[in-house]
Every structure is written in structure tokens, then in C-alpha cells.
Amino acid sequence: MTQILPPDSLKGKTALVTGSSRGIGADTVRYLAEAGANVVINYRNKAPRAERLATQLRELGVQVLTVAADLTDQASVDGMFAQIASEFGSLDLLVLNASGGMESGMAEDYALQLNRDAQVRVLEAALPLMSAGARVVFVTSHQAHFIRTTETMPEYEAVALSKRAGEDALRERIPALTEKGVEFVVVSGDMIEGTITATLLNRMNPDAIASRRDAAGKLYNVAEFAAEVTQAAIDPIPADNIRLVGDTGSFVAE
């Protein structure tokens, strides 16, 4: 992997990336650590994978905290932030990367619980540790961001609607965040090759990835999209608070 941010550009900062034991979250947390940030790896139930990543990142000379937390459970989230407060005392960057809703065996409203309610829950729990100059990055997809104006695959519609509901709920908090001096940006990407979501969609609809790649001309892979998420942590905030990654020609703006 190529280093994305200048060495030591985040030295002394602390970043939490939710859902960061694998995929986009893991690459994002690695890029942040390579830039000198102390990082928190959050995961739900894959401790060995999170610890392997933590061991690698500690070799960079940064502090790394791994925290198991179910983001749909308030007590679990409160416990995570108690550990962060004890270890670091403050939080400079919150990357809301964790999402889901296509897993089997979950409650009917699980997508909404995780992609909307949990995002707000994590933000509210993080804010006491964040001060002026801190930043919140919410990771979503074009299929979710544009769901009100552009149809998506039926297999993904419930997830897309729940992620857009999460984006809307977070956007409602922008005035309060601004008053506190905390910045907010949404990073929206097209279908990302190599993610669990893309794999599941392609399993249900074998033409999903190829069709989308043909329409867009290019699909980002996990490392490439994580680089965009990482860059959003330091780049100026766009006027509309959103960073669109990849082709949007197939989507209708609101």
C-alpha cells in the first residue's frame, strides 16, 4: 500500500474508525496510522483479526487501541468511548465506516438500526471527547446517497434507504457540530470491488459488478476508496459537505 498522507501529518492526533478490522475500515486506519495518528480499531466480533492489524500498526510507532463494540447497543458504545477516554483523553477524528444490513439471521429492522440509529449513537457518544478542529467523516455509497432520485438494485434497496436515513440524521446535526467547531463531511463512493457488500450483491445478482463497472468505466477497489476516505480527513470541507468518489453520471442529483 502507498502512504496517502505526509509522514507525521497527523502526529499527536487520535482517530477512531468504526468497523476497521477489515476492508475499507482497515485500510483507512492503516493510512491514518502511517500519517502518525494514534488509532482505535473497532470491531464487532473478530478479535484475532483486529489484534493482528493492531500489531502491524504498532510497528509504525503509534498507539493502537482495539475495542469490541456492537454499535447497535448503547451500553457497548458507551463502554467503547470510556476506553478511548481512558487511553487517549480526547478524539480528533471519527470515521463512521461501519455499516451492514445484508447479513442473514438479523432482525428485520437491523439495517436501520445499524446504518441510521447506531451512526447517531456513536456520534453523540464521541462528541464529549471532541473539541474545535475535530472532524467527523461518514462513509456511504452513491446507491444510498442518490436513492431518492435513482433506483438501485432490489437486493440493496433496504440498505440504501437505511444509509440515506443515516446520512440525513447526521446532516441534521451539522449546525450543532459547527457551533462546537467540529467539521463534518460525507464520503460517497460507487460500488467498491472487493467489499463484502459487493460480493454479496454479486452472489445474488451475478451481473451486478460487471454491469456497474461497464456503466461507470471504472470501479474503485478497497485500498483506492480508503485513500479517498483518508484524504477527506484533512482536505477542506466542500460547501455541500460531500465528497463524491468515482462516476456519478448514472445518478440523478436531487
Side-chain angles (χ1 to χ4, degrees), residues 37-253:
N38 298 317
V39 295
V40 183
I41 300 170
N42 158 248
Y43 63 97
R44 191 175 68 180
N45 54 19
K46 294 291 192 290
R49 185 169 59 199
E51 291 300 337
R52 282 195 298 272
L53 177 59
T55 298
Q56 295 169 11
L57 299 188
R58 289 186 184 111
E59 294 176 358
L60 299 171
V62 301
Q63 292 178 262
V64 183
L65 176 66
T66 60
V67 185
D70 178 353
L71 304 185
T72 66
D73 179 76
Q74 184 69 59
S76 188
V77 170
D78 290 343
M80 175 170 69
F81 282 100
Q83 289 186 61
I84 294 171
S86 175
E87 184 80 11
F88 299 114
S90 63
L91 187 66
D92 301 288
L93 176 64
L94 170 63
V95 180
L96 295 168
N97 166 74
S99 66
M102 298 185 69
E103 302 87 342
S104 60
M106 294 297 189
E108 188 175 339
D109 65 342
Y110 179 70
L112 205 56
Q113 287 184 45
L114 178 58
N115 298 329
R116 183 193 65 189
D117 301 345
Q119 307 304 313
V120 175
R121 177 181 295 111
V122 172
L123 174 61
E124 296 296 337
L127 279 177
L129 296 178
M130 304 181 86
S131 55
R135 183 174 294 196
V136 178
V137 179
F138 175 66
V139 180
T140 190
S141 66
H142 292 348
Q143 288 76 14
H145 177 70
F146 292 103
I147 188 61
R148 293 200 289 251
T149 54
T150 306
E151 288 186 355
T152 189
M153 292 170 285
E155 300 89 347
Y156 188 66
E157 186 175 26
V159 175
L161 288 168
S162 66
K163 285 186 70 64
R164 181 64 213 220
E167 179 182 339
D168 292 342
L170 293 169
R171 282 181 174 275
E172 289 175 2
R173 284 155 175 78
I174 289 177
L177 293 174
T178 301
E179 186 174 337
K180 188 178 171 67
V182 176
E183 299 172 320
F184 175 80
V185 63
V186 175
V187 180
S188 177
D190 205 336
M191 189 180 291
I192 309 299
E193 298 205 59
T195 61
I196 295 296
T197 298
T199 300
L200 290 173
L201 282 172
N202 213 53
R203 190 175 299 162
M204 292 183 282
N205 180 356
D207 193 40
I209 293 177
S211 294
R212 186 59 208 145
R213 188 189 303 115
D214 289 345
K218 167 189 167 58
L219 293 180
Y220 281 62
N221 63 31
V222 168
E224 290 170 333
F225 185 63
E228 294 286 342
V229 174
T230 304
Q231 202 65 47
I234 64 166
D235 281 357
I237 301 290
D240 55 358
N241 296 88
I242 185 157
R243 184 186 185 101
L244 297 171
V245 179
D247 176 72
T248 58
S250 303
F251 299 91
V252 179

